[in-house]
Amino acid sequence: MSATLILVLLVSIFVMLFISAKPAMQAYGWHFLVDSSWGKTVEVTSSKPVMQPIATSPDNSDADSNLFADEETPILPISDQSIDPTNQMSPTITKTIYGGFVPIVGTILSTLIAMAFAMPIAMGIAIFLSEIAPKFLIKPVGLAIELLAAIPSIIYGMWGLFYFAPIVQKIFGGYQISILTAGLVLGIMILPFMAAITRDAMNTTPSVLKESAYSLGATKFEVVKDIIFPYAKVGIIGSIILSLGRALGETMAVAFLIGSVFKVPNSLTSPTISIPVVLANNFGEASGDMMSALFYLAFILFVFSFIIIGIAKFYFLRRHR
């Protein structure tokens, strides 16, 4: 019953996003994925024919009510109207275009940086707490790791902005507000989830398996690599999937640190923007095409997250079962 409700909820979210994003899909198509413009006003040639008003002449001065040409007054094509200096109707119209390439790249890069930073540290913490740490350290260190997960994301953003960003700039150069700073703080945010779930998964390994390996002369490294990791792989992959989902959708901390600039970063220390930040910054004032473009971005993020988590769930876990 509960699984059915969750499925209905997912389908309803998908349908809502698709319907709201459909005008932007029809207007921009797949080009939206590779277009780096956002809110750019351009002049385009109208595809609809523009009716030319009748030129006033002495012989026809009393025909003010005739707004359009008759058979004796041919209608000039659109290209000719733009050349005719007496023509008062322009064949071109202005249009605001939106593209999602910059926020898509920003989302992917910040997530990759966060995962690359968090995974080895989280695995190390989990191994330390489950196999290496003395008993008097396991509980306080484990509690401290779990408390990191309880800190609101806006606190991480403020801490990163005022204290962590200057350190990153001093070490790596570039700007304080950059995709690297956002990715590293994002990695710190997902680290407690990954470490806690991985530790719990490792603790489920039966002691008899580990003691048998030690009795055969295996080292601690070999026991972790050949016994604990294979036994707890489902829980470890699950922790990575959950952390990945949070990294893709994190908003507040990233909004403080990524720079909110619609520009493809030319280095890791350059500012850019991500999909959640675009939605958070613009949704309250958006309308018309912009609102539909924002829903298009949200739809892309939803599908992207669903595909990644689906691949991890049905490929990696089934493969190792």
Side-chain angles (χ1 to χ4, degrees), residues 14-223:
F14 180 87
V15 172
M16 182 271 294
L17 291 176
F18 180 79
I19 292 175
S20 302
K22 193 174 180 180
M25 293 179 182
Q26 294 174 339
Y28 309 117
W30 294 107
H31 186 68
F32 183 82
L33 302 177
V34 295
D35 192 346
S36 59
S37 303
W38 184 265
K40 182 179 179 181
T41 302
V42 297
E43 289 187 349
V44 296
T45 302
S46 175
S47 60
K48 297 180 180 179
V50 180
M51 193 69 71
Q52 183 187 14
I54 299 174
T56 303
S57 64
D59 297 333
N60 197 26
S61 58
D62 58 348
D64 293 336
S65 59
N66 296 328
L67 299 178
F68 305 105
D70 55 21
E71 295 181 355
E72 296 179 357
T73 307
I75 298 174
L76 296 176
I78 293 174
S79 58
D80 294 337
Q81 292 181 25
S82 61
I83 299 174
D84 185 2
T86 62
N87 183 23
Q88 300 299 317
M89 299 182 67
S90 173
T92 61
I93 60 174
T94 59
K95 181 180 179 182
T96 304
I97 58 175
Y98 298 94
F101 183 69
V102 175
I104 290 173
V105 170
T107 303
I108 294 174
L109 289 180
S110 60
T111 302
L112 289 178
I113 293 172
M115 297 301 294
F117 176 74
M119 283 179 62
I121 298 177
M123 297 299 118
I125 292 173
I127 294 171
F128 175 77
L129 292 178
S130 62
E131 298 299 320
I132 300 175
K135 289 185 179 180
F136 71 92
L137 275 180
I138 293 177
K139 193 168 183 178
V141 174
L143 184 61
I145 296 297
E146 293 171 357
L147 285 176
L148 286 176
I151 298 176
S153 60
I154 193 171
I155 303 300
Y156 277 109
M158 296 169 66
W159 168 78
L161 179 63
F162 292 108
Y163 298 99
F164 189 68
I167 298 175
V168 174
Q169 186 191 33
K170 189 174 181 180
I171 296 175
F172 298 99
Y175 298 90
Q176 290 186 7
I177 307 302
S178 65
I179 192 170
L180 179 62
T181 308
L184 292 177
V185 173
L186 198 55
I188 295 173
M189 293 178 63
I190 64 174
L191 195 152
F193 295 96
M194 198 182 299
I197 298 175
T198 302
R199 178 203 59 190
D200 294 340
M202 289 181 174
N203 286 336
T204 61
T205 306
S207 299
V208 64
L209 292 179
K210 295 187 286 186
E211 291 171 358
S212 299
Y214 284 127
S215 66
L216 293 175
T219 64
K220 191 175 289 294
F221 174 76
E222 291 171 336
V223 169

